[in-house]
Amino acid sequence: MSEPLSTAAETGRRTRRGVWELVLLTLAMFGFGFALVPIYNALCELTGLNGRDQGMQLVATVQEQPDLSREVTVQFLTVVNGGREWSFKSEVAEMKVHPGQLYTVNFVAENQLDQDVVGQAVPAVTPGKAARHLKKTECFCFNQQPFKAREAKRMPVRFMLDPELPADVGTVSLSYTFFDVTELAQRSAKPSTPGAATTLPRG
């Protein structure tokens, strides 16, 4: 009878150890969510993580040559990292686009705190192979965005899917995770630029 008890005890120890490992892993992942955005950006640029590669760079101009025979669904997803008291969403959940044509979609963010904050959005594209075919002429995600207390902003993204987007891609998801980088901005010697953003009137 001693062997089954020993086996049960060993199983119990392994189970408890596994639970603690999962807890520590969860805490580590949660803590990483608060890591500095530049570190995350650098990692993504080096590895192409979450669709962030050279195709995500801002371009000065694009030459429009719409492929009217093809239509792609573009979805817009938003997340506020760390549960901050911000409102952040796209004005449209999705749109139908023709590759080769330039489109504009507006995102609205509101600081619901009674203090000034600075935000930074980290973009991602899925499927990953679509990222290199996404061209942006304007995006709030390329700059830190300062917000006054209770301030709201409408922030445009002008984008185009180039006609070379693989034929098997019928849906592209463009997502933005908003990080609070207030402390980073305060420590940085470089002045932050708000980019193209229009302050919305209150009331």
Side-chain angles (χ1 to χ4, degrees):
M1 297 296 290
S2 60
E3 184 175 349
L5 289 176
S6 177
T7 302
E10 180 62 24
T11 301
R13 283 194 295 269
R14 290 179 178 177
T15 300
R16 287 192 295 273
R17 185 171 60 212
V19 170
W20 276 111
E21 289 175 352
L22 287 174
V23 169
L24 291 174
L25 178 61
T26 300
L27 290 174
M29 292 176 64
F30 183 77
F32 180 74
F34 290 92
L36 299 181
V37 172
I39 297 176
Y40 181 83
N41 288 346
L43 176 62
C44 291
E45 288 170 2
L46 287 172
T47 64
L49 179 66
N50 288 337
R52 287 182 55 82
D53 65 5
Q54 59 183 354
M56 295 285 287
Q57 298 299 314
L58 186 69
V59 295
T61 59
V62 293
Q63 184 176 359
E64 292 188 81
Q65 294 180 332
D67 180 0
L68 300 181
S69 67
R70 184 181 178 192
E71 200 171 60
V72 178
T73 299
V74 179
Q75 301 174 329
F76 305 102
L77 310 174
T78 57
V79 177
V80 176
N81 185 69
R84 297 290 289 175
E85 295 183 26
W86 293 354
S87 172
F88 177 47
K89 62 182 180 180
S90 170
E91 290 184 337
V92 295
E94 64 180 40
M95 65 170 57
K96 302 288 187 179
V97 306
H98 295 294
Q101 186 168 333
L102 191 65
Y103 294 86
T104 300
V105 60
N106 289 314
F107 289 74
V108 177
E110 181 180 1
N111 172 21
Q112 299 175 335
L113 299 172
D114 292 320
Q115 63 188 46
D116 296 354
V117 297
V118 179
Q120 173 76 57
V122 174
V125 176
T126 54
K129 64 182 177 180
R132 67 183 68 251
H133 301 286
L134 176 66
K135 310 300 180 184
K136 296 180 182 178
T137 63
E138 184 177 350
C139 183
F140 61 91
C141 62
F142 289 100
N143 298 289
Q144 293 180 354
Q145 297 292 336
F147 289 79
K148 297 293 185 182
R150 300 290 175 175
E151 182 182 11
K153 291 183 180 182
R154 180 179 287 113
M155 306 179 296
V157 174
R158 289 179 60 79
F159 71 95
M160 184 184 80
L161 293 174
D162 70 47
E164 296 180 1
L165 179 73
D168 62 339
V169 177
T171 300
V172 174
S173 295
L174 179 57
S175 63
Y176 295 92
T177 301
F178 224 62
F179 289 81
D180 182 350
V181 294
T182 305
E183 293 185 7
L184 174 64
Q186 291 172 345
R187 292 197 305 265
S188 176
K190 298 180 180 179
S192 61
T193 54
T198 303
T199 299
L200 300 178
R202 299 291 299 170

